[in-house]
């Protein structure tokens, strides 16, 4: 059975049992800034398990692409992967153990035909029910093991808080492992870890939630979360011990063989096999991550991607590859993944470009890292040992893999401080704790409003007014029956025309009118199925059960709709101008402005930004009519709709189109659409209502991530007026026509540059003169000219050239200068190379002096600088510096 046949068999099996098929969500998780990646199939379903949202069906099934960095150092062995697919079937308060265990057994042994005698079951220590159900399937008692949480039979919570519960796993028995003592005496079991057993299925009985204080509460319903690694099950079906030898991954690995010129033969050359596996895995992961909008950077998700890419290049280097190769392996990974990710084809050129540029960049980094390692080796000739701290800095700062440091060291007869390196790595993991955390920020309001079980309908797409009934009122955290005049609180209605914040769009403001009073809505939010109006009563009172009318602030809604429609047009223009790799990574849509975060590896030129703005305004002037359709998710995607990153999967979706020539009714489908998005926000009836869109700024917010700020409508008009007023003011100030302002500024800059150079020349001459005068005050200590003194300078920048000049004049010299600059002590120490060789380091002395004046600093043995806070102790610091210099010279 091929991997693709396995996918189809799994989905068909559970669809036949009433499960709704849900498409895989992005590797970048929806709405959870605390989670770097989608790490499990149930990530997108967590709000359903917690009772915060209503699922599209109580029975769900999916094949979710997942990414985990927990064991990245192990990738290259037989079974570890960062990117993998997880087969999943889920119950949200529907079926439980009695159904899911027999289904798992039937699918594995019946549909897939796996030998029953090779399957072992594990259950949580006190889970008698699960053990009995496994026994009823025919699993003998000796192959039903009771494991603790530490042995893997309790899932969660994934972070400090979250859903959790006991679990039951299925393990496949490959047969006895040679050399394993437990296998020899028939006492082996999955937790021994000799490689005999492979976990292929996990049933999580998700029934509990861990609170922030560590207490355990019961979830609204008992749920099922099944997770099974696709590649692992495929390895069993294809009878190969390594997941890399399953059909899809083996094709990519074959491309790695061709590109590197090395043959995959684990028995003959295990090191080459390990390298080829790592290259294969990381090339495929790179393609999927970039397609989901992750770009290489030095932090967060981008750092993880860069780490994988560099690790792949390193393994190529390790097996002797010196020419660029990764792009071609990535290309093969795309070819053999198109059946599940057709979007890879559209992004192919961009993905290859990222691989090519990053590989070239790291090749230079690799050479530099090896050069720095040579310096460490030269320094440590006496100890013949690479310190763990140096090994860590080479890896973490310069990207030199620790395996390469170890290899070079061993070749020169050096050892490495692995314990020190591991300690540094552990400290780093602690600092970045939560990278693999699954915890969404705990939201008490969301849980509280889920508990009131009120479903609020939003009816404000076509009307700004609505009539409804008050379902719930809260003052702070307390439910109340009535809000009196002057009191702030929350009001929940069964229906409202106020749009709740979502999809980047701010919540509406407006008013709620009751016969007894008036409530001003200051913000509108959605918590699960409940829409909450926050504000205060300004007249009379409002009570639960009251009949009310709702009125949205019309002008604010219209300005917000201008910016939301502008966001859609801007997104389309960015993709048209810069490339279809552009993806939304965040947004803000308010009445005053719009902000659009997007993925792109470099700064757009001014010409490109102007082209983007012109294209948007061309569509504005075309006054394209909008069309909004509700249809099945799969149909919307097949029509070419783009799903914004905030959107969560639902069975029915809202698609907003702006199509130049529809020609046959607003509801009919046409391929000729400038913009087609899945979006729940409020929009204009036609693009002409935007009036004008102006890009105010484009800036970097991280490697591969950019942010556009723009304004529309009245805000754009005011922006033009303000800028025009500024230009007129400058024209009057410079006494030149507006068109000549740039030339006038350039002339003034040239004049300023000339004056600055003259001033710097005067300062250099003054510094040299002062240094020459100071040179005569140096004393000779053991053949070294030593000068430790206070000086007067205008700025700290003058200290270093003065110290350099003195060292040049004095020859074999050590110089310490301290100045009071605007009430703060500033220090510089300088030593010639021969003085450093005699054991007198500028760093050592500057730290002694800086400590006395309440500061700190550092540098190199030849030159160090520092600052302090207590200028009154400068003379004391000078004396200490001189004594420190004498002591170190005497010690040699």
């Amino acid at each position: 059975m091929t991997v693709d046949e396995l996918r189809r068999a799994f989905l068909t099996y559970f669809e036949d049992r009433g499960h709704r098929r849900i498409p895989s969500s992005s590797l970048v998780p929806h709405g959870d800034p605390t989670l770097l990646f989608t790490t499990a199939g149930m990530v997108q379903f967590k709000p359903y398990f917690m009772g915060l949202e209503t699922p599209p069906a109580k029975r769900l099934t999916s094949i979710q692409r997942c990414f985990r960095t927990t064991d990245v150092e192990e990738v290259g062995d037989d079974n570890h992967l960062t990117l993998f697919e997880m087969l999943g079937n889920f119950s949200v308060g529907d079926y439980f153990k009695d159904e899911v265990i027999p289904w798992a057994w039937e699918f594995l042994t019946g549909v897939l035909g796996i030998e029953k005698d090779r399957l072992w079951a594990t259950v949580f220590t006190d889970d008698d029910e699960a053990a009995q159900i496994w026994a009823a399937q025919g699993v003998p008692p000796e192959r039903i093991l009771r494991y603790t949480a530490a042995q893997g039979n309790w899932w969660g919570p994934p972070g400090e808080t979250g859903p959790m519960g006991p679990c039951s796993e299925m393990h496949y028995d490959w047969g006895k492992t040679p050399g394993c003592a437990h296998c020899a005496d028939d006492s082996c079991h999955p937790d021994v870890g000799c490689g005999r057993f492979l976990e292929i299925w996990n049933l999580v009985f998700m029934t509990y939630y861990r609170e922030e204080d560590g207490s355990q509460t019961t979830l609204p319903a008992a749920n099922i979360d099944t997770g099974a690694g696709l590649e692992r099950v495929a390895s069993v079906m294809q009878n190969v011990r390594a997941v890399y030898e399953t059909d899809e991954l083996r094709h990519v690995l074959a491309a790695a063989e061709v590109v590197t010129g090395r043959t995959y033969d684990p028995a003959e050359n295990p090191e080459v096999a390990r390298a080829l596996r790592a290259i294969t895995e990381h090339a495929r992961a790179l393609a999927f991550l970039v397609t989901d909008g992750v770009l290489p950077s030095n932090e967060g998700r981008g750092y993880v991607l860069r780490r994988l890419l560099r690790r792949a290049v390193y393994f190529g280097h390790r097996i002797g590859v010196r020419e660029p190769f990764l792009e071609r392996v990535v290309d093969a990974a795309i070819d053999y993944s198109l059946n599940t990710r057709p979007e890879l084809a559209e992004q192919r050129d961009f993905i290859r470009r990222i691989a090519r540029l990053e590989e070239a960049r790291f090749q230079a980094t690799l050479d530099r890292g090896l050069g720095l390692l040579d310096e460490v080796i030269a320094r440590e000739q006496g100890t013949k040992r690479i310190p763990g701290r140096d090994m860590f800095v080479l890896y973490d700062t310069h990207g030199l893999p620790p395996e390469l440091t170890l290899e070079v060291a061993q070749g020169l007869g050096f050892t490495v401080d692995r314990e020190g390196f591991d300690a540094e790595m552990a400290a780093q993991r602690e600092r970045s704790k939560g990278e693999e955390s699954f915890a969404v920020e705990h939201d008490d309001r969301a849980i509280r409003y889920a508990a009131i079980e009120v479903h609020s309908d939003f009816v404000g797409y076509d009307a700004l007014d609505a009539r409804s009934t008050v379902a719930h009122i809260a003052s702070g955290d307390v439910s109340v029956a009535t809000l009196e005049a002057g009191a702030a609180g929350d009001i929940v209605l069964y229906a409202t025309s106020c749009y709740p914040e979502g999809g980047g769009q701010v919540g509406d403001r407006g008013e709620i009118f009751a016969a007894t009073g008036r409530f001003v809505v200051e913000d509108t939010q959605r918590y699960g199925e409940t829409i909450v109006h926050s504000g205060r009563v300004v007249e009379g009172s409002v009570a639960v059960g009251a009949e009310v009318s709702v009125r949205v602030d019309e002008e604010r809604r219209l300005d917000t709709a201008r910016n939301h429609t502008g966001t859609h047009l801007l997104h389309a223009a960015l993709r048209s101008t810069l490339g279809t790799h552009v993806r939304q990574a965040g947004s803000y849509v308010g009445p005053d402005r719009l902000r659009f975060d997007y993925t792109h590896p470099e700064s757009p030129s001014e010409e490109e930004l102007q082209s983007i703005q012109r294209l948007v305004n061309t569509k504005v002037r075309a006054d394209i009519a909008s069309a909004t359709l509700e249809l099945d998710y799969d149909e919307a995607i097949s029509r070419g709709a783009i799903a914004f990153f905030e959107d969560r999967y639902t069975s029915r979706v809202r698609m907003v189109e702006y199509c130049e020539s529809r020609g046959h009714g607003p509801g009919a489908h046409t391929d000729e659409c400038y913009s087609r998005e899945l979006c729940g926000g409020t929009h204009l009836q036609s693009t002409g209502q935007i009036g004008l869109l102006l890009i105010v700024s484009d800036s970097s917010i991280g490697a591969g991530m950019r942010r556009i700020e723009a304004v529309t409508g009245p805000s754009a008009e005011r922006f033009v007026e303000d800028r025009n007023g500024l230009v007129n003011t400058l024209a009057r100030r410079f006494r030149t026509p507006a068109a000549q302002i740039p030339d006038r500024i350039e002339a003034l800059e040239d004049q300023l540059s000339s004056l600055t150079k003259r001033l710097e020349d005067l300062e250099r001459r003054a510094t040299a003169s002062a240094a020459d005068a100071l040179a005569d005050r140096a004393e000779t200590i053991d053949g070294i000219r030593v000068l430790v003194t206070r000086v007067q300078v205008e700025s700290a920048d003058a200290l270093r050239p003065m110290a350099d000049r003195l060292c040049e004049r004095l020859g074999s010299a050590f110089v310490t200068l301290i100045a009071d600059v605007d009430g703060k002590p500033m220090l510089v120490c300088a030593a010639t190379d021969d003085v450093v060789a005699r054991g007198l380091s500028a760093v050592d002395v500057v730290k002694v002096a800086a400590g006395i004046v309440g500061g700190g600093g550092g540098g190199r043995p030849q030159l160090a600088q520092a600052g302090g806070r207590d200028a009154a102790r400068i003379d004391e610091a000078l004396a200490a510096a001189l004594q420190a210099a004498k002591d170190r010279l005497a010690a040699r």
Side-chain angles (χ1 to χ4, degrees):
M1 178 180 283
T2 66
V3 170
D4 202 45
E5 288 170 343
L6 175 57
R7 291 188 186 99
R8 291 197 298 269
F10 178 83
L11 291 173
T12 298
Y13 181 84
F14 283 99
E15 284 178 313
D16 289 345
R17 283 149 186 80
H19 291 66
R20 181 190 292 273
R21 181 188 302 196
I22 305 297
S24 172
S25 62
S26 170
L27 289 173
V28 178
H30 162 87
D32 185 0
T34 69
L35 182 62
L36 280 185
F37 298 105
T38 298
T39 56
M42 62 81 67
V43 167
Q44 62 175 315
F45 305 133
K46 182 180 178 184
Y48 308 148
F49 293 138
M50 294 178 64
L52 300 179
E53 296 182 18
T54 301
K58 286 186 172 294
R59 296 183 178 191
L60 307 168
T61 186
S62 70
I63 300 180
Q64 173 66 49
R65 53 185 180 274
C66 301
F67 188 88
R68 294 180 183 175
T69 62
T70 311
D71 301 313
V72 64
E73 292 88 357
E74 304 301 321
V75 172
D77 65 2
D78 284 348
N79 291 307
H80 279 93
L81 299 167
T82 61
L83 177 82
F84 61 96
E85 293 181 69
M86 185 171 285
L87 308 170
N89 61 280
F90 309 90
S91 165
V92 185
D94 186 22
Y95 59 80
F96 205 51
K97 299 177 186 178
D98 282 336
E99 292 86 0
V100 77
I101 290 176
W103 283 343
W105 183 256
E106 180 182 23
F107 180 74
L108 290 170
T109 62
V111 177
L112 300 187
I114 296 176
E115 296 178 42
K116 297 179 180 180
D117 291 344
R118 288 188 176 271
L119 293 176
W120 293 52
T122 63
V123 300
F124 190 59
T125 51
D126 62 357
D127 195 346
D128 296 334
E129 181 183 7
Q132 290 170 4
I133 299 172
W134 282 120
Q137 309 312 305
V139 183
E142 65 271 16
R143 296 211 308 272
I144 302 174
L145 309 178
R146 293 177 183 263
Y147 277 179
T148 64
Q151 292 174 297
N153 273 70
W154 185 277
W155 190 92
E160 296 301 321
T161 64
M164 61 182 184
C167 60
S168 179
E169 297 178 337
M170 290 298 293
H171 298 262
Y172 181 79
D173 184 356
W174 289 107
K176 294 183 178 181
T177 301
C180 173
H182 292 282
C183 288
D185 64 9
D186 290 327
S187 64
C188 199
H189 57 93
D191 196 44
V192 169
C194 70
R196 172 177 173 176
F197 295 95
L198 177 69
E199 178 204 331
I200 60 172
W201 207 272
N202 188 16
L203 305 173
V204 181
F205 310 127
M206 195 177 295
T207 47
Y208 304 107
Y209 189 94
R210 179 178 290 172
E211 304 290 347
E212 291 182 355
D213 62 3
S215 62
Q216 179 176 297
T217 57
T218 303
L219 288 172
N223 309 293
I224 290 293
D225 163 25
T226 298
L230 171 71
E231 292 83 357
R232 289 191 174 194
V233 178
S235 72
V236 171
M237 296 305 298
Q238 297 176 24
N239 196 32
V240 289
R241 296 288 286 265
V243 295
Y244 295 91
E245 295 172 19
T246 56
D247 59 297
E248 287 186 4
L249 279 171
R250 188 63 183 87
H251 285 305
V252 184
L253 195 148
E257 288 181 283
V258 172
V259 167
T260 62
R262 307 303 296 269
T263 301
Y264 178 73
D265 189 339
E268 184 68 24
N269 198 330
E271 283 303 307
V272 169
R274 178 178 175 82
L276 291 172
R277 288 192 292 258
I279 291 168
T280 295
E281 202 284 335
H282 294 337
R284 186 176 71 148
L286 183 154
F288 277 68
L289 286 170
V290 172
T291 300
D292 277 350
V294 181
L295 296 178
S297 71
N298 290 326
E299 59 185 12
R301 300 181 182 101
Y303 175 77
V304 175
L305 173 58
R306 178 164 284 167
R307 182 183 177 193
L308 293 190
L309 192 150
R310 290 181 169 186
R311 195 169 185 270
V313 175
Y314 157 68
F315 272 106
H317 186 280
R318 187 167 176 172
I319 58 176
V321 182
R322 296 296 181 268
E323 298 298 321
F325 69 91
L326 188 59
E327 179 184 357
R328 287 177 286 166
V329 185
V330 168
D331 202 36
I334 293 172
D335 285 337
Y336 293 107
S337 302
L338 288 175
N339 59 330
T340 56
R341 275 318 296 280
E343 311 97 294
L344 290 167
E346 182 181 347
Q347 301 293 331
R348 183 191 296 268
D349 291 343
F350 181 67
I351 297 167
R352 293 182 58 175
R353 175 186 173 195
I354 292 294
R356 180 172 64 252
L357 293 176
E358 283 289 316
E359 180 176 14
R361 183 176 298 156
F362 181 56
Q363 286 290 1
T365 299
L366 192 59
D367 292 339
R368 184 168 62 251
L370 290 171
L372 291 170
L373 177 57
D374 288 341
E375 292 181 13
V376 174
I377 289 170
R379 190 192 71 213
E380 300 294 333
Q381 283 294 334
T383 65
K384 292 290 184 179
R385 181 177 175 83
I386 306 296
R389 175 64 183 170
D390 287 310
M391 188 175 177
F392 174 76
V393 170
L394 285 169
Y395 171 59
D396 189 58
T397 304
H398 303 287
L400 193 68
E403 298 91 345
L404 187 53
T405 298
L406 179 62
E407 182 179 323
V408 173
Q410 289 176 338
L412 296 173
F414 275 61
T415 60
V416 297
D417 176 16
R418 286 306 300 246
E419 290 184 1
F421 173 79
D422 291 342
E424 294 285 352
M425 286 294 293
Q428 184 201 54
R429 290 191 188 100
E430 187 63 27
R431 290 191 295 270
S432 60
K433 195 173 183 180
E435 177 178 298
E436 290 296 342
S437 168
F438 177 66
V440 177
E441 293 179 357
H442 190 65
D443 193 329
D444 290 334
R445 284 172 64 85
I447 294 175
R448 189 168 70 248
Y449 280 111
I452 69 174
E453 298 183 342
V454 173
H455 180 94
S456 303
D457 290 325
F458 173 65
V459 295
Y461 284 124
D462 302 316
L464 298 175
D465 298 320
R467 299 195 62 82
S468 187
T469 303
V470 177
H472 178 83
I473 297 178
S475 177
D477 297 340
V478 180
S479 299
V480 296
T482 305
L483 273 185
E484 302 290 343
D490 297 340
I491 291 181
V492 177
L493 306 177
Y494 288 109
T496 181
S497 54
C498 286
Y499 179 81
E501 180 178 320
Q505 180 174 327
V506 299
D508 274 336
R509 295 178 183 172
E511 294 180 301
I512 297 175
F513 300 91
T516 56
R518 180 165 63 96
F519 180 88
V520 173
V521 179
E522 298 170 350
D523 188 26
T524 309
Q525 297 284 333
R526 179 187 291 277
Y527 297 101
E529 305 297 328
T530 306
I531 297 177
V532 179
H533 309 79
S534 298
R536 65 183 57 251
V537 177
V538 294
E539 294 177 14
S541 62
V542 180
V544 173
E547 299 295 323
V548 298
S549 61
V550 187
R551 180 178 302 158
V552 175
D553 182 332
E554 182 175 3
E555 183 177 352
R556 188 173 185 272
R557 164 73 77 84
L558 181 58
D559 286 340
T560 302
R562 286 191 180 99
N563 284 323
H564 206 148
T565 297
T567 299
H568 284 222
L569 301 186
L570 178 63
H571 192 186
L574 284 164
R575 289 170 63 86
S576 174
T577 304
L578 302 181
T580 56
H581 62 273
V582 169
R583 297 176 62 90
Q584 182 187 11
S587 69
Y588 166 84
V589 178
D592 54 335
R593 61 189 170 89
L594 69 88
R595 185 193 74 222
F596 189 82
D597 299 343
Y598 65 101
T599 57
H600 189 59
E602 56 201 8
S603 174
S605 66
E606 189 63 32
E607 292 74 16
E608 285 174 324
L609 288 174
Q610 289 178 357
S611 177
I612 291 164
Q613 182 173 281
R614 289 193 198 102
L615 179 55
V616 171
N617 286 311
T618 297
K619 304 304 179 184
V620 170
R621 291 190 297 274
D623 197 22
I624 305 168
S626 69
T628 302
L629 298 83
E630 287 197 6
L631 63 170
D632 288 338
Y633 177 89
D634 291 339
E635 182 182 356
I637 297 301
S638 69
R639 289 189 178 197
I642 298 173
F644 273 20
F645 87 111
E646 295 100 335
D647 291 323
R648 184 184 298 283
Y649 171 83
T650 55
S651 56
R652 298 284 290 178
V653 294
R654 186 171 183 267
M655 185 172 72
V656 180
E657 295 182 338
Y658 289 95
C659 309
E660 285 105 324
S661 55
R662 194 171 297 278
H664 45 268
H669 173 58
T670 173
D671 290 330
E672 299 301 321
C673 276
Y674 172 69
S675 171
R676 181 179 277 131
E677 305 269 8
L678 301 187
C679 184
T682 61
H683 295 274
L684 302 171
Q685 294 180 351
S686 65
T687 61
Q689 293 176 279
I690 291 175
L692 176 69
L693 182 143
L694 290 176
I695 294 176
V696 175
S697 66
D698 178 273
S699 59
S700 172
I701 56 173
M705 300 284 290
R706 304 201 62 79
R707 170 171 293 170
I708 281 182
E709 301 265 2
V711 290
T712 63
S715 294
E717 293 171 7
R718 287 191 293 271
F719 183 83
V720 171
E721 291 167 358
D722 291 345
R723 288 299 171 94
N724 189 53
L726 176 61
V727 170
N728 290 336
T729 299
L730 290 173
R732 289 192 298 270
R733 188 75 175 268
F734 291 145
R735 297 177 183 176
T736 187
Q740 295 178 17
I741 288 176
D743 294 336
R744 178 67 171 144
I745 292 175
E746 185 176 354
L748 288 172
E749 287 177 338
D750 290 342
Q751 183 180 354
L752 179 62
S753 177
S754 177
L755 291 172
T756 300
K757 289 179 180 178
R758 289 176 59 188
L759 179 60
E760 289 173 349
D761 184 56
L762 290 172
E763 289 179 343
R764 278 194 298 270
R765 293 181 184 180
T767 297
S769 178
D772 291 344
L774 289 171
D776 295 336
R777 294 162 55 182
E779 60 180 300
T780 302
I781 301 175
D782 197 17
I784 295 173
R785 300 282 282 166
V786 177
L787 177 63
V788 179
T789 186
R790 178 198 289 256
V791 296
Q792 290 185 340
V793 293
E794 293 297 322
S795 70
D797 293 337
L799 285 174
R800 178 172 175 177
M802 186 178 288
D804 289 342
R805 174 79 173 186
L806 283 165
C807 285
E808 182 182 336
R809 282 287 310 275
L810 295 172
S812 178
F814 181 83
V815 175
T816 298
L817 305 177
I818 307 182
D820 182 341
V821 180
D822 297 328
K824 293 184 178 181
M826 305 302 296
L827 305 81
V828 64
C829 285
T832 54
D833 289 339
D834 62 310
V835 171
V836 172
R838 292 183 59 178
L840 181 50
S841 167
V843 175
D844 295 340
V845 176
V846 84
K847 287 182 177 178
V848 171
I852 291 175
V853 293
R860 297 178 292 108
Q862 290 83 2
L863 181 69
Q865 294 174 281
R869 295 185 298 274
D870 189 357
R873 302 186 67 186
I874 286 180
D875 290 339
E876 185 181 345
L878 287 168
L882 179 59
Q883 188 61 49
K886 290 179 178 179
D887 291 345
R888 281 158 177 74
L889 289 173
R892 301 294 291 185

